Amino acid sequence: MQRGIRQGCPSSQFLYAVALSPLLHKLKSELHDAMGPSPPLKVLAYADDVCVLLHSEQDNQVMLQYVQKFEHASGSVLNKQKTQQLVVYNTGESLQTEFPTVPKIKILGIWFEPQYKTMIANNYNVLINKLQTLSYLCKYRSLSLLSRIKYVNIYLLSKVWYVANVLTMPRVHGKNTITVWLVYLVSAGIPCQLC
């Protein structure tokens, strides 16, 4: 290899994905399966952020071994100051890592916590507050009804669908979401019988 790629080069993201791919495939093939979704979820990656789901100390050692090999081969380095671990199910086995354990962790905009019900409630409460703020900020703009419907459909509901793809929406949060966008639409003068 004679030279690197300039930062901001359009092809750099694709080359990084190609370079990271062997590590991801090796982790997927070497880590143990656990009870869970089918196919089993072991590794998630987006750009240069990687999330690895470990089920034992043995998996932890395998992961660290392959990350060190990847660092040596690629020149990339794991940023240990930004690396965190979340213990979701404690089997009593302690993981020997130098990474801090956190009570919750944000992955691609969604907060993950050990308690499933709390995780769902917290994510949807934050989402509904965000929807209320966004609809309030746009409430007094002079938009036609069609423009308001497009705003709800494209901008507000897309946020709901994103979270709902990962976390099941409880009925109460579904009702709150509908209330937010109906209040926004009613502020445009929709007759109340449609509500």
Side-chain angles (χ1 to χ4, degrees):
M1 186 178 291
Q2 298 296 320
R3 65 185 179 93
I5 294 180
R6 290 178 172 263
Q7 185 173 356
C9 176
S11 62
S12 66
Q13 60 189 346
F14 300 112
L15 292 173
Y16 187 80
V18 168
L20 188 62
S21 185
L23 173 65
L24 301 177
H25 287 291
K26 197 66 174 170
L27 290 174
K28 285 179 185 177
S29 67
E30 296 294 325
L31 296 177
H32 292 93
D33 291 344
M35 298 294 287
S38 181
L41 184 61
K42 300 177 185 179
V43 180
L44 299 169
Y46 181 78
D48 63 344
D49 290 334
V50 178
C51 176
V52 182
L53 288 88
L54 305 173
H55 304 290
S56 66
E57 176 58 32
Q58 181 182 358
D59 278 352
N60 183 46
Q61 294 304 319
V62 167
M63 184 267 305
L64 291 173
Q65 174 189 358
Y66 285 116
V67 167
Q68 287 173 348
K69 286 181 180 181
F70 177 75
E71 288 177 335
H72 181 70
S74 69
S76 295
V77 178
L78 175 68
N79 186 342
K80 294 180 180 178
Q81 293 164 338
K82 287 178 61 179
T83 303
Q84 301 172 328
Q85 69 180 2
L86 171 69
V87 177
V88 176
Y89 178 70
N90 191 354
T91 61
E93 183 179 17
S94 63
L95 298 179
Q96 303 299 317
T97 67
E98 57 216 70
F99 313 125
T101 300
V102 294
K104 61 182 181 176
I105 193 166
K106 193 173 191 178
I107 303 172
L108 297 176
I110 297 175
W111 286 99
F112 289 87
E113 304 176 36
Q115 298 298 321
Y116 186 72
K117 288 183 180 181
T118 306
M119 176 177 63
I120 287 179
N122 289 342
N123 275 286
Y124 279 107
N125 288 337
V126 167
L127 176 64
I128 289 168
N129 287 338
K130 182 185 272 186
L131 294 177
Q132 288 172 331
T133 302
L134 292 171
S135 62
Y136 179 78
L137 292 174
C138 198
K139 186 176 184 176
Y140 297 107
R141 294 180 67 196
S142 61
L143 297 174
S144 68
L145 177 59
L146 181 59
S147 295
R148 285 178 181 264
I149 291 171
K150 285 181 181 179
Y151 179 76
V152 166
N153 193 29
I154 295 169
Y155 195 64
L156 299 181
L157 289 180
S158 63
K159 295 178 184 323
V160 174
W161 301 148
Y162 175 74
V163 175
N165 272 321
V166 178
L167 302 172
T168 305
M169 181 186 286
R171 180 168 289 187
V172 66
H173 291 96
K175 289 178 180 179
N176 291 343
T177 302
I178 292 169
T179 301
V180 168
W181 61 263
L182 280 178
V183 165
Y184 171 70
L185 291 176
V186 167
S187 70
I190 297 177
C192 285
Q193 64 261 24
L194 292 178
C195 303

